[in-house]
Amino acid sequence: MLFFDCTTAPNPRRVRMIIAEKRLEIETRELSIANGEQLSPDFLAINPRGTLPVLVTEAGQALSETVAIASYLEDLHPEPSLMGQGAEEKAAVLNWNAVIEQQGGQAIFDAFRNSHPAMKGRAIPGPADYAQIPDLAERSRQRVNAFFELLEARLQQSPFIATNRFTLADISCFVMVEFARVIKMRIPQGNPATLAWYEHICERPSASV
Amino acid sequence: MLFFDCTTAPNPRRVRMIIAEKRLEIETRELSIANGEQLSPDFLAINPRGTLPVLVTEAGQALSETVAIASYLEDLHPEPSLMGQGAEEKAAVLNWNAVIEQQGGQAIFDAFRNSHPAMKGRAIPGPADYAQIPDLAERSRQRVNAFFELLEARLQQSPFIATNRFTLADISCFVMVEFARVIKMRIPQGNPATLAWYEHICERPSASV
């Protein structure tokens, strides 16, 4: 197994947290997105979409999506479970992880990639260049505000995102919320359930990877 | 179990295909997105994000994400498998399903919702109104072209999207490709592997639901 990481990017951080929670040792290679190393011919031969993270499985399959990497590592190392157990809980984790990715992650990434000077001409990850759209950055910031309200409503009802224990959905949400710093957005001070959840996740050793 | 469907929308169609492939009978309620029924107070009490499909599970959980609904139905009715068997194949299905959703579905939806007159002020699904961004529609069309090339490269190597048999990833891809008609984009005539795959899926009974 081989993990292609990038310590400055949010999605690889989700995988590092999974690995830390499961206490695994996986051979890791660091690539620099800042230097464009994810677009080198060698890496594009592994992942033609030029995105990180990638986990190359024992059978040699290159997984580029966090949810797939999480599923694979869960099957090989079921404990501690991050993907849920039983039909209802497994569905809850996949459901909330997708909601977090779409309502939170996508909005934060779009706001960042369509406004940050370092992302000029690089509004979409991957080998092709796409121009920034300032209006999309602004609309996405409105969506991040809506996401924080969605999160507060959920965490008023549940101690963790998907179920009554820590799962992949918490990892995804924690990493997205921390990454929102790049667009200067944070959990609103008026959202006590989210702030309490955030402090709680910060205490886990995996939060510092 | 209760399935909230909308026969005019692509994501509910993915769930209908899953149900058809597994030959299940699930109580179904049709909502009209054209009439805004997904934003009624009654439905928002079930899914506050106001999106379709929704599957209410036996425990009363409202699942709004196709991948979660697929996981739940697979656990209850494992055959025929649509989510893969074994760590490698399960990861392949989740990985390709996510790639199809992001590189294909997201681009097609963004192109549609940011350009179609019926979507004016409704560029993002859900209870909040967001203005259309014409530049995003145009950029997304470029991405759909890139998606068709990604698909052709994959299907030159593999008879189905994720693995050597029909899975959720094929359902997602087939529904997205058919939905691209709303933005007047189709599989390019120069992409023989994709056209052959498409004809093959069209022959399945589930393709007509």
Side-chain angles (χ1 to χ4, degrees):
Chain A
M1 239 190 287
L2 180 57
F3 169 40
F4 289 93
D5 193 6
C6 172
T7 49
T8 59
N11 286 322
R13 188 184 178 197
R14 291 200 279 165
V15 175
R16 289 201 303 278
M17 283 187 76
I18 295 165
I19 292 170
E21 288 284 339
K22 288 186 174 287
R23 297 185 172 77
L24 306 177
E25 301 274 346
I26 298 177
E27 184 184 345
T28 299
R29 206 161 295 171
E30 170 79 11
L31 295 188
S32 164
I33 292 180
N35 294 340
E37 291 176 4
Q38 83 283 13
L39 301 177
S40 73
D42 281 358
F43 188 69
L44 288 177
I46 295 166
N47 176 14
R49 292 174 298 287
T51 55
L52 289 163
V54 162
L55 184 80
V56 180
T57 66
E58 288 176 358
Q61 181 180 192
L63 300 173
S64 58
E65 307 304 313
T66 303
V67 70
I69 294 170
S71 164
Y72 180 75
L73 293 177
E74 180 99 347
D75 275 337
L76 266 59
H77 306 279
E79 298 294 340
S81 165
L82 297 173
M83 299 294 283
Q85 289 171 326
E88 291 279 352
E89 199 186 36
K90 283 163 64 181
V93 172
L94 283 176
N95 205 78
W96 278 102
N97 188 63
V99 168
I100 297 299
E101 286 186 347
Q102 288 162 33
Q103 308 295 319
Q106 190 64 51
I108 294 163
F109 293 154
D110 278 346
F112 171 63
R113 296 194 75 109
N114 288 283
S115 66
H116 197 282
M119 293 290 122
K120 199 165 174 343
R122 298 287 309 144
I124 307 278
D129 289 338
Y130 292 95
Q132 292 179 323
I133 299 176
D135 284 353
L136 177 57
E138 192 48 44
R139 192 177 82 183
S140 299
R141 292 182 69 88
Q142 297 172 39
R143 292 189 67 204
V144 178
N145 283 325
F147 173 65
F148 281 131
E149 295 318 307
L150 175 164
L151 219 52
E152 180 64 15
R154 175 58 181 169
L155 292 166
Q156 293 274 355
Q157 295 176 331
S158 176
F160 294 96
I161 301 288
T163 176
N164 61 359
R165 63 193 178 94
F166 180 86
T167 70
L168 173 66
D170 297 286
I171 290 176
S172 294
C173 192
F174 179 77
V175 170
M176 302 308 167
V177 164
E178 290 230 311
F179 188 67
R181 288 175 181 171
V182 297
I183 54 166
K184 298 185 172 53
M185 294 185 78
R186 289 166 196 261
I187 301 165
Q189 284 305 312
N191 293 11
T194 313
L195 290 167
W197 165 86
Y198 176 75
E199 290 305 322
H200 189 74
I201 307 294
C202 279
E203 290 167 10
R204 303 180 77 92
S206 69
S208 55
V209 297
Chain B
M1 238 190 286
L2 179 58
F3 169 40
F4 289 93
D5 192 7
C6 173
T7 48
T8 59
N11 285 324
R13 187 183 181 198
R14 290 200 280 165
V15 176
R16 289 201 303 280
M17 282 187 76
I18 294 165
I19 291 170
E21 288 285 338
K22 288 185 173 288
R23 297 185 172 78
L24 305 177
E25 300 274 346
I26 299 177
E27 185 184 344
T28 299
R29 207 161 293 171
E30 169 79 11
L31 295 188
S32 164
I33 292 180
N35 294 340
E37 291 176 5
Q38 82 284 13
L39 302 177
S40 73
D42 282 359
F43 187 70
L44 289 177
I46 295 166
N47 176 14
R49 292 173 298 286
T51 55
L52 289 163
V54 162
L55 184 80
V56 180
T57 66
E58 288 177 358
Q61 180 180 193
L63 301 174
S64 58
E65 307 305 311
T66 303
V67 70
I69 295 171
S71 164
Y72 181 74
L73 294 177
E74 180 100 345
D75 275 337
L76 266 59
H77 306 279
E79 299 292 341
S81 166
L82 297 172
M83 299 294 283
Q85 289 171 326
E88 291 278 352
E89 199 187 35
K90 284 163 63 181
V93 172
L94 284 176
N95 203 78
W96 277 102
N97 189 62
V99 169
I100 296 299
E101 286 186 346
Q102 289 162 31
Q103 308 294 321
Q106 191 64 50
I108 293 163
F109 293 154
D110 279 346
F112 171 62
R113 295 195 76 110
N114 287 284
S115 66
H116 197 281
M119 294 290 122
K120 198 164 173 346
R122 298 288 308 145
I124 307 278
D129 288 338
Y130 291 95
Q132 293 179 324
I133 300 175
D135 284 353
L136 177 56
E138 192 48 46
R139 192 178 80 182
S140 299
R141 293 181 69 89
Q142 296 172 39
R143 292 189 67 203
V144 178
N145 283 325
F147 172 65
F148 281 132
E149 296 318 306
L150 176 164
L151 219 52
E152 181 64 15
R154 175 58 180 168
L155 291 167
Q156 293 274 355
Q157 294 177 332
S158 175
F160 293 96
I161 301 289
T163 172
N164 61 359
R165 61 192 178 96
F166 180 85
T167 70
L168 173 67
D170 296 287
I171 291 176
S172 296
C173 192
F174 179 77
V175 170
M176 302 307 169
V177 164
E178 290 231 312
F179 189 67
R181 289 174 182 173
V182 297
I183 53 166
K184 299 187 170 55
M185 295 185 77
R186 289 164 197 262
I187 302 165
Q189 284 305 312
N191 291 12
T194 312
L195 290 168
W197 165 87
Y198 177 75
E199 291 304 323
H200 189 73
I201 307 294
C202 279
E203 290 167 8
R204 302 180 78 91
S206 69
S208 54
V209 299

